[in-house]
């Protein structure tokens, strides 16, 4: 920080101090590209370019830095104007890329428009941006090397896993592909007794059921009266 006379007192900004305090050196960052078992995680989340999701993205990236999440994390921003793209890119370079070179942003076309059978616009369904944005990411990101002629990925390996989350999430512990721990509970559709695999691998995707519903409103009953939450 420089005073009015231009003297640098070596006082860093709050953001820089926090990032340096919780972050890691480039060499350490490079080691986090691949997990210890050789798995590469590609974590993605879908946003538009409004200011609220800008800050949600910041908190998600920051939490990933703080817990040292392995792999690459990409914000998929859909339907941004040229000006919004320039602003979002500048924001990412100044505030996100400084946390880790593994934190990325990818811009996609707008997928939320709805058209009738005659091709006329008839509405907007913003939730289409997530599935089609992820599809665009898989087909256009340099992480995967999609080859339209061959109809397959050319750079992705079997020990690579895509994790889809939402921008309003924060990470409290590293995401993993191994759920064999005793604390993990599995739910089977219609209570069918099936042999459940405990690890994500090719041909074995996992998904998490959202069963919390409106129960978050019953704060004291769920969190407990002495919960730090």
């Amino acid at each position: 920080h420089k005073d009015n006379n231009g003297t640098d007192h070596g006082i860093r900004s709050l953001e820089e101090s926090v990032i340096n305090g919780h972050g890691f050196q480039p060499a350490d960052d490079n080691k986090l590209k691949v997990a210890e078992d050789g798995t590469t995680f590609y974590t993605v989340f879908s946003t538009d370019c409004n200011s609220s999701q800008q800050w949600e993205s910041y908190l998600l990236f920051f939490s990933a830095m703080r817990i040292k999440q392995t792999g690459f994390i990409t914000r998929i921003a859909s339907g941004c104007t040229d000006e919004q793209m320039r602003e979002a890119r500048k924001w990412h370079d100044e505030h996100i890329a400084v946390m880790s070179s593994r934190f990325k942003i990818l811009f996609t076309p707008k997928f939320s428009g709805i058209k009738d059978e005659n091709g006329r616009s008839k509405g907007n369904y913003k939730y289409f941006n997530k599935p089609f944005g992820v599809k665009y990411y898989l087909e256009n990101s340099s992480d995967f090397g999609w080859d339209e002629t061959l109809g397959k990925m050319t750079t992705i390996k079997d020990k690579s896993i895509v994790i889809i989350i939402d921008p309003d999430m924060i990470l409290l512990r590293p995401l993993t592909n191994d759920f064999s721990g005793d604390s993990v509970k599995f739910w089977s559709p219609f209570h069918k007794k099936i042999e459940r695999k405990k690890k994500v691998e090719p041909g074995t995707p996992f998904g998490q059921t959202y069963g919390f519903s409106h129960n978050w409103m019953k704060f004291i009953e769920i969190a407990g009266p002495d919960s730090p939450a």
Side-chain angles (χ1 to χ4, degrees):
H1 176 76
K2 294 183 179 181
D3 60 21
N4 293 334
N5 297 320
T7 303
D8 190 340
H9 295 283
I11 302 175
R12 298 174 298 185
S13 68
L14 176 60
E15 181 178 43
E16 183 183 0
S17 297
V18 172
I19 289 175
N20 287 344
H22 290 288
F24 24 73
Q25 298 300 315
D28 297 324
D29 189 34
N30 193 55
K31 293 177 182 178
L32 292 173
K33 289 181 178 180
V34 181
E36 291 183 357
D37 67 350
T39 302
T40 303
F41 294 106
Y42 295 92
T43 304
V44 298
F45 60 97
S46 173
T47 75
D48 53 24
C49 275
N50 68 47
S51 58
S52 63
Q53 292 202 319
Q54 195 95 302
W55 284 106
E56 288 177 348
S57 300
Y58 182 92
L59 184 56
L60 194 160
F61 278 121
F62 183 86
S63 69
M65 177 193 71
R66 191 171 184 274
I67 60 150
K68 294 180 170 54
Q69 174 64 39
T70 62
F72 301 85
I73 303 179
T74 300
R75 173 189 175 186
I76 302 172
S78 301
C80 307
T81 65
D82 290 343
E83 182 179 356
Q84 287 176 324
M85 277 194 280
R86 286 192 295 270
E87 292 177 352
R89 169 60 66 188
K90 185 173 183 292
W91 166 271
H92 183 89
D93 291 343
E94 292 180 351
H95 302 283
I96 307 302
V98 295
M99 297 185 198
S100 170
S101 61
R102 298 174 294 109
F103 296 170
K104 306 178 180 182
I105 186 169
L106 177 75
F107 297 100
T108 81
K110 178 181 178 180
F111 297 110
S112 58
I114 301 176
K115 296 182 179 180
D116 61 19
E117 61 274 11
N118 298 315
R120 292 190 296 265
S121 178
K122 59 178 294 185
N124 185 70
Y125 188 67
K126 65 180 181 180
Y127 302 106
F128 277 159
N129 280 327
K130 183 175 182 178
F132 289 104
V134 172
K135 180 176 182 291
Y136 183 94
Y137 163 76
L138 293 174
E139 294 178 345
N140 294 275
S141 169
S142 60
D143 292 336
F144 298 93
W146 171 261
D147 188 304
E148 185 68 32
T149 304
L150 297 176
K152 66 178 184 179
M153 309 294 183
T154 58
T155 61
I156 200 71
K157 306 299 181 183
D158 282 345
K159 299 202 73 172
S160 298
I161 294 175
V162 177
I163 303 173
I164 306 171
I165 60 177
D166 286 328
D168 59 351
M169 296 180 174
I170 59 174
L171 305 182
L172 301 180
R173 61 182 179 181
L175 298 170
T176 179
N177 63 319
D178 189 346
F179 300 94
S180 56
D182 294 336
S183 63
V184 179
K185 304 298 181 184
F186 289 91
W187 175 81
S188 297
F190 311 111
H191 304 286
K192 292 181 179 179
K193 292 184 178 180
I194 59 177
E195 184 178 350
R196 176 73 64 182
K197 291 187 176 182
K198 301 297 181 67
K199 192 172 183 179
V200 179
E201 55 191 5
T204 310
F206 274 47
Q208 183 174 9
T209 300
Y210 180 73
F212 210 39
S213 185
H214 66 285
N215 289 317
W216 63 270
M217 297 168 59
K218 303 175 183 178
F219 174 75
I220 295 181
E221 296 177 26
I222 296 174
D226 298 321
S227 169

